[in-house]
């Protein structure tokens, strides 16, 4: 079968021919119907020699959707996971039994690293291939008649902001302002989730007029250029109360500084973007408004993915996608890296 593999640190990923995998006991084989490209892949692909964290070669793709084609021994009879089922993959695989996993928070599994358990596309063979192995039926969510292309980004570009937003939900009451920095794959879903789940005014920040227009088209009330004047421009909108929550989908020092500059009393600053910025230099009694909290969530929980798929069935999410064939996957990553995409790049093998 064809797969997009990262084979040598520093070289672009390439399409290779590898053996079609066979599901072992407890595993499920999917014929991939869609695989999303995430900016985190770009981050991983740029890791220098010696800092690349996974074994090579590695098949990319941590957002996966597929059709169940073969059930490994012991996986028969799981509700909704029969041969032919249309499913998406919960990516942050954990051990399934530690305290975090018991709550569905496999993204925070305390044993995964020790047990050598990796997410698909981030250590395990990923979804950018004709077939993929899923380590357990527990990591599959049936999607029924939903379109795999429009649904696959929900496994990360949806799940990660959903998890982040849920943590701040009790604070985001009527009359508050919420800021979303970076209106790309994750950010444009975050804006839609905020509009659906909260009564807040949503202020989006990005670096081009095109992206600001995109943010507005998916529901942002206001859109502001993310430059040196951003704090002032956002403060003009929020007034002295500042923002009740800021979600930073970029994570470099300038955006974290903007986040800390616009957050108001009791506000949450949530750094989702994997940049190299830090917030700690500003957190101290005199450094920010009272009761500001900062956090750095990673991905989301299994129950949250089930909730998101339920939301998708309600038809309230409109994920913007640009599709590419497997052969064109390197071009999808090039455009992602060059910031030329509108929404999520999805590979359709
Ligand atoms: P993306 O490339 O689709 O979107 C990034 C957006 O940020 C683009 O619209 C870009 O124009 C905008 N941007 C760039 N610089 C900016 C700036 N200075 N100010 C405002 N906007 C700016 O990326 P994505 O796939 O949505 O991922 C976003 C970030 O989240 C990445 O850093 C990725 O690695 C990270 N991520 C984190 C998690 C997690 O669990 N914490 C999960 C997935 C992705
Ligand atoms: Zn990702
Ligand atoms: Zn665990």
């Amino acid at each position: 079968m064809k797969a997009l593999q990262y084979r040598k640190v520093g070289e672009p990923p390439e399409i290779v021919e590898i053996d079609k995998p066979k599901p072992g006991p407890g595993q499920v084989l999917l014929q991939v119907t869609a695989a999303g490209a995430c900016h985190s892949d770009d981050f991983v692909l740029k890791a220098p020699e010696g800092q690349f964290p996974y074994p090579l070669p590695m098949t990319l793709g941590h957002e996966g959707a597929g059709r169940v084609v073969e059930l490994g021994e012991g996986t028969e009879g799981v509700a909704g996971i029969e041969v032919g089922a249309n499913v998406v993959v919960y990516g942050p695989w954990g051990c399934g039994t530690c305290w975090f996993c018991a709550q569905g928070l496999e993204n925070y599994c305390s044993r995964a690293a020790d047990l050598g358990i990796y997410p698909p596309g981030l250590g395990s063979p990923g979804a950018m291939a004709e077939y993929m192995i899923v380590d357990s039926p527990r990591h599959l969510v049936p999607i029924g008649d939903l379109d795999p292309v429009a649904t696959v980004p929900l496994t990360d570009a949806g799940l990660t902001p959903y998890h982040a937003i849920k943590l701040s939900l009790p604070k985001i009451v009527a009359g508050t302002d919420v800021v979303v920095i970076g209106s790309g794959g994750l950010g444009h879903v975050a804006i839609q989730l905020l509009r659906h789940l909260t009564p807040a005014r949503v202020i989006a920040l990005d670096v081009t007029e095109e992206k600001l227009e995109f943010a507005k088209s998916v529901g942002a009330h206001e859109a502001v250029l993310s430059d040196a004047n951003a704090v002032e421009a956002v403060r003009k909108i929020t007034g002295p109360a500042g923002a009740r929550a800021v979600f930073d989908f970029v994570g470099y020092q300038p955006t974290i500084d903007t986040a800390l500059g616009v957050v108001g009393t009791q506000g949450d600053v949530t750094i989702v973007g994997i940049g190299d910025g830090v917030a700690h230099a500003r957190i101290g009694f005199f450094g920010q408004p009272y009761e500001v909290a900062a956090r750095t969530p990673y991905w989301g929980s299994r129950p949250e993915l089930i909730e998101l798929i339920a939301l998708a069935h309600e038809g309230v999410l409109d994920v913007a996608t640009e599709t590419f064939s497997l052969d064109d996957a390197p071009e999808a990553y090039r455009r992602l890296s060059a910031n030329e995409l509108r929404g999520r790049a999805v590979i359709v093998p």
Side-chain angles (χ1 to χ4, degrees), residues 57-285:
M58 182 182 85
T59 300
L60 289 163
H62 59 268
E63 286 184 349
R67 194 165 296 286
V68 175
V69 287
E70 201 178 331
L71 294 166
E73 197 190 316
T75 64
E76 304 85 1
V78 179
I81 311 298
E82 57 282 337
V83 169
N86 195 18
V87 295
V88 290
V89 180
Y90 174 75
W93 298 349
C95 72
T97 53
C98 73
W99 187 84
F100 287 103
C101 286
Q103 299 179 85
L105 284 161
E106 297 203 26
N107 49 325
Y108 298 140
C109 176
S110 53
R111 300 174 66 220
D114 284 349
L115 295 173
I117 300 172
Y118 296 106
L122 295 169
S124 294
M128 297 211 176
E130 290 173 273
Y131 295 88
M132 78 179 286
I133 293 283
V134 175
D135 67 337
S136 163
R138 168 178 104 243
H139 293 144
L140 296 172
V141 180
I143 62 170
D145 58 2
L146 291 175
D147 171 21
V149 172
T151 310
V152 75
L154 296 183
T155 62
D156 177 12
L159 180 57
T160 302
Y162 185 66
H163 176 72
I165 289 166
K166 276 190 78 176
L167 292 169
S168 295
L169 216 45
K171 290 185 176 180
I172 309 176
V173 295
T176 57
D177 287 314
V178 173
V179 171
V180 172
I181 305 177
S183 177
L186 274 67
H188 95 286
V189 183
I191 292 167
Q192 298 181 43
L193 289 168
L194 285 163
R195 288 304 312 274
H196 186 70
L197 301 173
T198 82
R201 177 164 55 181
V202 178
I203 305 167
L205 270 67
D206 210 303
V207 288
T208 65
E209 289 297 339
E210 232 181 331
K211 292 277 188 171
L212 296 185
E213 173 275 314
F214 177 48
K216 282 198 154 177
S217 76
V218 295
H221 296 93
E222 304 282 347
V224 171
L225 267 182
S226 181
D227 58 16
N229 302 318
V231 170
E232 201 186 329
V234 171
R235 283 265 170 196
K236 217 179 208 164
I237 299 168
T238 66
R244 181 51 64 94
V246 185
F247 299 95
D248 181 356
F249 295 104
V250 181
Y252 288 104
Q253 200 58 53
T255 56
I256 293 178
D257 287 344
T258 298
L260 289 166
V262 300
V263 69
T265 298
Q266 288 195 323
D268 283 347
V269 171
T270 303
I271 301 162
V272 177
I274 304 181
D276 56 4
V278 288
H280 63 73
R282 290 274 297 272
I283 307 281
F285 197 86

